[in-house]
């Protein structure tokens, strides 16, 4: 994968729902090893863009690729390369245990049982869920369920991660675990990560690059430091100031 310039690339992506334009002329480029935060308020189009990249929703126009594979023409190849963690997890089976759920999804991806068990044990330990491997999914707290979605998204060791509000229901300790792991995956293992959030603190803590999505359009993309400089905000060090300046918004996220 080292010969591929971008882990995620969008060119002129648009999406309409009837007469409503959810996304317009989206350009986005994320290199392998970069953790990019897609920052926007509720309704900005973050989830729509995530679903297009995850091959769950067709774009109305434009092209997008995952490690050089077209998300429309090569959807199956893209799904093998990526892990998608949605904001609301609804696909686990409530009566099955945590491990039974992970074994089921691993089988769908062709992961051998022994490999699944080893990877699952390691990932559950990262999120302090190892003692819940035999608990039914329905018995988990909302934060544990969300963390388990991350475990499932990482189970096949994807090159690209698409994360939609991954820490929204997590405790501060669990959120810190997630953030630490994501930084390691990007910086030490070269994974491409796109994380959608409206949490400004999370953006400040994690982002190599910030892409500000507002009204269905990406208004700016770059490192926070470069964006501060470009927009004449050198005296500021908060992403909130940058977001307000670029979107002309008086309302915090």
């Amino acid at each position: 994968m080292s010969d591929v310039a971008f882990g995620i690339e969008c060119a002129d992506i648009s999406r309409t729902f009837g007469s409503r334009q959810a996304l317009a002329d989206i350009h986005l480029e994320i290199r392998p090893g970069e953790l990019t935060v897609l920052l926007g308020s509720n309704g900005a189009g973050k989830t729509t863009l995530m679903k297009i990249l995850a091959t769950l929703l067709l774009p109305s126009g434009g092209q997008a690729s995952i490690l050089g594979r077209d998300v429309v023409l090569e959807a199956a190849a893209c799904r093998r390369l990526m892990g998608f963690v949605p904001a609301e997890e609804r696909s686990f089976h409530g009566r099955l245990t945590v491990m039974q759920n992970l074994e089921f999804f691993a089988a769908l991806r062709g992961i051998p049982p022994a490999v699944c068990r080893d990877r699952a044990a390691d990932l559950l330990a990262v999120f302090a869920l190892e003692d819940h491997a035999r608990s039914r999914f329905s018995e988990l707290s909302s934060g544990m369920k969300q963390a388990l979605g991350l475990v499932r998204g990482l189970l096949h060791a994807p090159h690209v991660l698409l994360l939609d509000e991954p820490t929204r229901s997590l405790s501060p300790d669990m959120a810190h675990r997630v953030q630490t792991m994501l930084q390691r995956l990007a910086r030490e293992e070269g994974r491409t990560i796109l994380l959608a959030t409206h949490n400004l603190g999370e953006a400040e803590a994690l982002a190599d690059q910030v892409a500000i999505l507002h009204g269905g359009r990406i208004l700016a993309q770059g490192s926070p430091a470069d964006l501060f400089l470009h927009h004449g905000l050198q005296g500021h060090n908060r992403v909130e100031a940058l977001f307000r300046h670029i979107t002309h918004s008086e309302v915090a996220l």
Side-chain angles (χ1 to χ4, degrees):
M1 300 297 173
S2 59
D3 59 335
V4 179
F6 299 109
I8 297 172
E9 187 174 12
C10 298
D12 296 317
I13 285 291
S14 64
R15 174 68 200 198
T16 58
F17 295 96
S19 61
R20 183 176 70 87
Q21 181 125 39
L23 296 173
D25 304 321
I26 296 294
H27 287 263
L28 185 65
E29 296 175 343
I30 306 174
R31 297 183 184 278
E34 285 183 348
L35 195 162
T36 294
V37 172
L38 183 64
L39 189 62
S41 57
N42 290 329
K46 300 189 302 297
T47 297
T48 299
L49 180 57
M50 283 285 189
K51 287 184 175 180
I52 289 173
L53 292 172
T55 76
L56 299 177
L57 189 65
L58 291 173
S60 301
Q63 291 181 308
S65 62
I66 300 293
L67 286 166
R69 275 74 167 184
D70 189 284
V71 300
V72 175
L73 301 178
E74 302 172 275
C78 288
R79 287 192 288 271
R80 287 192 293 271
L81 293 168
M82 78 171 75
F84 174 52
V85 181
E88 295 184 8
E89 183 49 70
R90 299 177 180 176
S91 56
F92 284 106
H93 299 264
R95 294 184 179 182
L96 297 182
T97 67
V98 164
M99 188 58 73
Q100 287 170 337
N101 268 288
L102 294 176
E103 289 171 344
F104 170 77
F105 288 110
L108 292 179
R109 287 192 172 273
I111 302 173
V115 175
C116 169
R117 286 192 292 272
D118 288 343
R119 287 183 183 172
D122 289 343
L123 288 167
L124 290 173
V126 168
F127 297 109
L129 291 174
E130 62 269 34
D131 293 338
H132 297 277
R134 296 184 180 181
S135 300
R136 288 187 179 184
F137 179 76
S138 60
E139 298 170 347
L140 302 182
S141 68
S142 60
M144 290 178 180
K145 289 176 180 177
Q146 189 164 358
L148 190 61
L150 282 161
V151 172
R152 187 192 63 187
L154 291 164
L155 198 58
H156 61 295
H159 294 279
V160 175
L161 273 174
L162 305 172
L163 309 173
D164 194 1
E165 304 283 358
T167 62
R168 183 174 59 177
S169 300
L170 302 185
S171 67
D173 174 67
M174 186 74 80
H176 179 71
R177 286 174 178 264
V178 170
Q179 292 168 357
T180 299
M181 179 199 65
L182 294 179
Q183 289 175 320
R184 177 179 58 79
L185 290 174
R187 295 169 188 174
E188 297 179 17
E189 300 186 19
R191 313 288 180 92
T192 306
I193 301 176
L194 178 61
L195 186 155
T197 187
H198 59 265
N199 185 324
L200 292 161
E202 189 162 68
E204 289 176 355
L206 290 177
D208 297 317
Q209 303 279 319
V210 171
I212 295 179
L213 184 64
H214 186 69
R217 297 177 181 272
I218 290 183
L219 303 184
Q221 182 190 0
S223 71
D226 287 345
L227 291 176
F228 283 131
L229 181 63
H230 179 74
H231 290 277
L233 298 172
Q234 297 94 319
H236 295 270
N237 61 0
R238 301 299 302 274
V239 171
E240 181 175 356
L242 183 66
F243 182 85
R244 286 173 181 260
H245 175 80
I246 291 174
T247 63
H248 305 290
S249 173
E250 296 299 327
V251 181
L253 290 179

